[in-house]
Every structure is written in C-alpha cells, then in structure tokens.
Amino acid sequence: MKPTATAVHTTEDSTDTGAQQIRDAIRDAIVERRLSPGTKLSESDVGNLFNVSRTLARAALQALSYEGLVSVEKNRGAFVAYPSPDEARQIFAARRLVEPGILREAAARITPSQIQHLKQLLIAEGRLMSERGQMARRAEIKASGDFHLTLAAISGNAIMQRFMDELVARSSLVIALYGQSTISSCGHSEHGDIVAAIERNDLDEACRLMLHHIAHIEADLDLRERKSVGLKEAFEG
Amino acid sequence: MKPTATAVHTTEDSTDTGAQQIRDAIRDAIVERRLSPGTKLSESDVGNLFNVSRTLARAALQALSYEGLVSVEKNRGAFVAYPSPDEARQIFAARRLVEPGILREAAARITPSQIQHLKQLLIAEGRLMSERGQMARRAEIKASGDFHLTLAAISGNAIMQRFMDELVARSSLVIALYGQSTISSCGHSEHGDIVAAIERNDLDEACRLMLHHIAHIEADLDLRERKSVGLKEAFEG
DNA sequence: GTGCAAACGATCGTATACAATTTAGCCATC
DNA sequence: GATGGCTAAATTGTATACGATCGTTTGCAC
C-alpha cells in the first residue's frame, strides 16, 4: 500500500535526503494523473504541503526536472511537464528502441520464480481492469507500467532500469495528454501474450509482440497540437 | 575553446540557474579525467572553488549524481563516482543495447552536410591522436566521445541523446579506472569505418561495426576487483 | 476610453545561519 | 600496546533571510 514508484526494486536505496520522499510523492501523483500536465508547482506551495522548507521542495522539483516530469522555467517556476507531440513521439521512439533489447536480456536471465512473479502482476492488473472507480483506474495505470518496469528489473541492468523508469513515467504523461480511448492503460492481453512467448522461449516473437504492443499504445494517441487549450501554451512552451 | 561537454548541441538551452555552469565544469573535469574516481567533492570546497555558496555547489553535485558521475552518500558527502566492475559491464551493455538503434535512426535522417560534419570530427580526432601532451590526450578523450554523441544528435531523438550523454561520460570514468592500454580513446579507425558504412548506406554493416567497436573498447578493460584499494571500498561500496 | 508607464506583489535565485550527524583525535582503561 | 569510549572539529541536512526578476495592476496622460 505504501511502496512508491520504485517499488519494483527489491533493495530500497535509502538515498541521501528527505527530498527524495517528496520527489517520489509528486512523481506518483503525476504518474497516476492526479496532477495534470501544466499544473504549476510553486516551491512555497510544495514546501507547505509537505511541511518542509523551500530548500527541500526546490530540490525535489529539480530532481523531477531531470526525469523530465516537470519543467522548470527560469524565474517563472516549475510546472508538471506538458510534453509536446514531438516529445511524445521521441519518448515512444525511445521505447521502441530499447524495450526489445531489454526483453531479450530479461528473457535470457529469467528464472521460474520471476515468471511466476510476472504472471501474478498480470492477474493483479486484470483484476484492476474489471474494477470501477478512480482509485482502481490509478492503480491500473501504475500496474500497467510495472509490467515493463519489472521486465527491466529482471534484465539485471540497473541503468536500463532507471531509463525505463523515466520512459514509463513520461509515457503516462503523454497518454494523459493525448490518449483518446477511455482505456487508460495499454492492452492487458498483450502483456500476457508477451509473457507466454517468453515462457516458451520464442524471443523473436516476444520482441515482435512488444513492438506491436508499443505501437498499439502510440496508435491510441492523437498527436495533433492542442487548439483551444493550446492558445496560451502555444506561446509558453 | 570554451564550449563545454554539450558542445554538440547546436541550440544552447540556457537553463535555469548558474549551478549548471558548475555542473558542466565539474563534469568536464571528470570526463577529461582531471578528477580521479573516488575523489571527495566537499560542498564547501566546490563552492569556494567557484566562488558561490554551498547551495549552488550542492545543487551541482546533486545534478551530477543523477547522471551517475558522482555518488552522494548520506551525511558523508559527494565523491567522484567509482563504478564497480559490475556497473561498468552494465554501462557497456546499455551501449550495446542502444547504439545500434541510434545508429539506424541517425543513418535514416542524416544529411550530406551532417556526414561532412562527422568527417571533420574524425579529422580533428586523428590530429589529436598524433599530438603529444596531457592537453591533447584530454581533448582526444572528449573528441572520441563526441563521435558517438554526434550520432545521437543526428538521430533527432533528444531523449536518446541525453541518455548517450550519460553513457559516454560514465564510460570515460570506467576507462579511467579499468582501462589497460595507454590508448585512452577507442580505435579511431573504427569510427571512420562506421562513417564509411553509413555513407554507402550499408546499415547492417554499420551496426555490426558499431557493436564490434564497443566490444573492442570493453575488451581493453580489466574488470577485476581492485585488490589493494579494495580493502576499504569492499565494505563501503 | 484607450494606451503606456511606473509601482506593487509574488515567486524564484542565492547566500547565510543553525541543527544534526559523522569523523577524528585523545585519554583512560584493560 | 591495543581497545574502548568520550569529546571536539568538520561536514552535511535543513531552514530562514535577502536580493533579483517577472507578471500584474493601477494610475495618469492623451
């Protein structure tokens, strides 16, 4: 119930400062779409909200800007990132670029217990899909990303895992902005198909399915510049 | 003479704060191996060195920690990253994973003038290789990385470009730690071969050369745990 | 009533100050 | 002589304070 976005990791890093907690809290809020793109994140407000000084709030926002989840504009403040259509395309292009490779690495190292873990994830994901309510939707969004993140974790490459963390989080922002269908997450069955392909050791097919899966998510986007809302944003960012 | 590590970019971002300058300066020092892995980077010292307060120094160090170039330990301070052999393997695994894809994207979009630019880079690199002296060595190190970075820039994907920035910088750290041969950079001729393959539109061969090139760099490493130094580091990380 | 200008308010950028934790040096003790 | 704990110095963690910049609004002239 408590684990944050990095719940995928088995070893909690226990990093250096309390700013990380704020960072994770805001990140979760962004990924779960409780914070809309473009929302202003004033340093003072964030500080007051978490009962810390502006120093820590600023550090957290700065950290989030390195992940591409918030954009800080000089002397203007921090905002929840509002990825442009071009940025969105780059995010998915990056995913198409790295996820097959991650999948191959993961499949080469995967253990039976890890396969079991993946299947349990799918079950939980399926259960959330059938539930109703905002809370279930948000949990579903995160669960959907957790599949890809878990694959990255299994691959054993912490660097790629961190990169996927970033890509999945930013994807959530893109979907929030440009997603058309009410289906908040990607096709659940496609995840299952991928696991099945991994299980029978058909890597080429698994990669093909993964690429198809990513393309499927991207196809649900309407990557045209926003018109009504954009009138203001068009000149700000 | 002045351009920093991000000299590859044509459009300077002019980011939000003066901490970025400090960050870039320290990063250059790390990448050019003027700062050895493990060196302590005290916030006060950094601040005094650049005539700014600890606040900015801390922000710069924090930023560098997100790139994996320095590691900050709670209540202990920041140190130039000392990548473990396993970390080193992961860095190169990541490069093997992404660079072929980046190469393909770049080749698909490359213009004649960009090919020309690449060739000029190779010429400059070759000139530096023949020169003697520490300064030339350092410039050579950076030039060698610039080849890979330029390819990422040509690919048109800013996200992958940033990722490559990180990977190349961290590679420099790894080579500084575990590199055996005096050849500080990777084989210069291999870069030329890759460009040639791109020019004649032989993408498969270009990717093959790229993978071979990365493997060649990695093969020059001695990824055994350090013995004498390790007695302390073995329990600290 | 409209347009420009100057002052106001809010927010960020940076520096300084204080609290908490670690590290080291030292003395006492075994 | 080695070990254990204690005190003091140094360094980081966090908060507050001050200066700079930007956006807004008010007031005056036209």
Side-chain angles (χ1 to χ4, degrees):
Chain A
M1 196 72 77
K2 190 75 63 50
T4 58
T6 57
V8 173
H9 305 72
T10 51
T11 60
E12 185 51 50
D13 224 16
S14 113
T15 39
D16 59 325
T17 169
Q20 305 295 78
Q21 295 180 17
I22 301 172
R23 178 182 74 90
D24 288 343
I26 297 179
R27 170 149 76 153
D28 278 11
I30 294 177
V31 171
E32 293 177 15
R33 303 180 202 169
R34 300 185 12 151
L35 282 170
S36 300
T39 302
K40 166 140 191 167
L41 299 174
S42 157
E43 294 177 355
S44 314
D45 292 351
V46 172
N48 291 346
L49 189 58
F50 292 93
N51 289 102
V52 294
S53 81
R54 260 186 58 216
T55 305
L56 288 186
R58 184 185 178 83
L61 292 172
Q62 200 73 16
L64 287 165
S65 92
Y66 292 128
E67 304 181 46
L69 291 184
V70 317
S71 71
V72 301
E73 303 177 24
K74 185 179 172 75
N75 282 319
R76 277 190 33 86
F79 305 83
V80 178
Y82 197 103
S84 68
D86 196 57
E87 227 174 312
R89 277 184 277 265
Q90 290 182 5
I91 289 168
F92 281 95
R95 290 188 64 166
R96 279 194 302 270
L97 197 56
V98 302
E99 294 217 51
I102 290 174
L103 177 56
R104 283 201 141 82
E105 292 262 348
R109 308 170 101 259
I110 201 166
T111 68
S113 88
Q114 284 171 327
I115 289 185
Q116 210 57 29
H117 179 57
L118 270 180
K119 284 184 178 175
Q120 283 186 328
L121 244 70
L122 294 183
I123 294 172
E125 193 180 347
R127 182 171 49 240
L128 286 167
M129 270 188 95
S130 62
E131 286 185 29
R132 288 287 166 211
Q134 282 274 28
M135 208 169 61
R137 260 305 110 79
R138 285 168 184 159
E140 181 194 355
I141 293 172
K142 183 179 291 192
S144 159
D146 268 1
F147 173 77
H148 297 263
L149 260 34
T150 302
L151 236 44
I154 293 173
S155 83
N157 191 321
I159 295 167
M160 295 310 300
Q161 191 179 341
R162 268 181 55 89
F163 190 45
M164 277 302 299
D165 263 5
E166 180 181 324
L167 289 178
V168 167
R170 295 178 78 171
S171 295
S172 180
L173 260 179
V174 169
I175 296 171
L177 263 178
Y178 303 108
Q180 300 186 97
S181 85
T182 60
I183 296 175
S184 43
S185 64
C186 31
H188 166 60
S189 64
E190 298 179 0
H191 286 174
D193 294 344
I194 292 171
V195 172
I198 292 175
E199 205 167 6
R200 70 181 120 87
N201 228 338
D202 190 349
L203 290 197
D204 289 334
E205 174 68 0
C207 285
R208 202 187 63 77
L209 288 169
M210 175 64 86
L211 285 174
H212 183 74
H213 173 49
I214 297 172
H216 189 268
I217 303 173
E218 200 173 359
D220 183 51
L221 304 178
D222 176 19
L223 290 179
R224 295 304 107 198
E225 300 278 358
R226 283 287 185 273
K227 36 214 161 277
S228 49
V229 242
L231 191 110
K232 193 163 60 176
E233 276 79 6
F235 294 87
E236 288 182 341
Chain B
M1 196 72 80
K2 189 76 62 54
T4 58
T6 57
V8 173
H9 306 70
T10 50
T11 60
E12 186 52 48
D13 224 15
S14 114
T15 40
D16 59 325
T17 168
Q20 305 295 76
Q21 296 180 16
I22 301 172
R23 179 183 74 90
D24 287 344
I26 298 180
R27 172 153 71 157
D28 278 10
I30 293 177
V31 171
E32 293 177 13
R33 303 180 202 170
R34 300 184 10 153
L35 282 171
S36 301
T39 303
K40 166 140 190 164
L41 298 174
S42 157
E43 294 176 357
S44 314
D45 292 352
V46 172
N48 291 346
L49 189 57
F50 291 94
N51 288 102
V52 294
S53 82
R54 260 185 59 215
T55 304
L56 289 184
R58 186 184 178 85
L61 292 172
Q62 201 72 16
L64 287 166
S65 92
Y66 292 127
E67 305 181 46
L69 292 183
V70 317
S71 70
V72 300
E73 303 177 24
K74 184 179 171 75
N75 282 318
R76 280 188 31 86
F79 305 83
V80 178
Y82 196 103
S84 67
D86 196 57
E87 228 174 311
R89 276 184 279 264
Q90 290 183 4
I91 289 168
F92 280 96
R95 291 188 64 166
R96 279 194 302 269
L97 198 56
V98 302
E99 294 218 49
I102 289 174
L103 178 55
R104 283 199 140 83
E105 292 263 346
R109 308 170 100 259
I110 201 164
T111 68
S113 87
Q114 285 172 326
I115 289 185
Q116 211 56 31
H117 180 57
L118 270 180
K119 284 184 176 175
Q120 283 185 328
L121 244 70
L122 294 184
I123 293 172
E125 193 180 347
R127 183 171 49 239
L128 286 167
M129 271 188 95
S130 62
E131 287 184 27
R132 287 289 166 205
Q134 281 275 30
M135 210 168 60
R137 259 305 112 78
R138 286 169 185 159
E140 181 194 354
I141 293 172
K142 181 178 292 190
S144 158
D146 268 1
F147 173 77
H148 298 262
L149 261 35
T150 301
L151 235 46
I154 292 172
S155 83
N157 191 320
I159 295 167
M160 295 309 302
Q161 191 180 341
R162 266 182 55 87
F163 190 45
M164 278 301 299
D165 262 5
E166 180 182 325
L167 287 179
V168 167
R170 294 178 78 170
S171 295
S172 180
L173 260 180
V174 169
I175 296 171
L177 264 178
Y178 303 107
Q180 299 186 97
S181 84
T182 60
I183 295 174
S184 43
S185 65
C186 32
H188 167 60
S189 64
E190 298 180 359
H191 286 173
D193 295 343
I194 291 172
V195 171
I198 292 174
E199 204 167 8
R200 72 181 119 88
N201 226 338
D202 190 350
L203 290 198
D204 289 334
E205 176 68 0
C207 286
R208 205 187 60 78
L209 288 170
M210 176 63 86
L211 285 174
H212 183 75
H213 173 49
I214 297 172
H216 190 268
I217 302 172
E218 201 174 357
D220 184 52
L221 304 177
D222 176 20
L223 290 179
R224 294 304 109 196
E225 300 277 357
R226 286 287 186 273
K227 37 217 160 280
S228 50
V229 243
L231 190 111
K232 193 163 58 176
E233 276 78 7
F235 294 86
E236 287 181 342

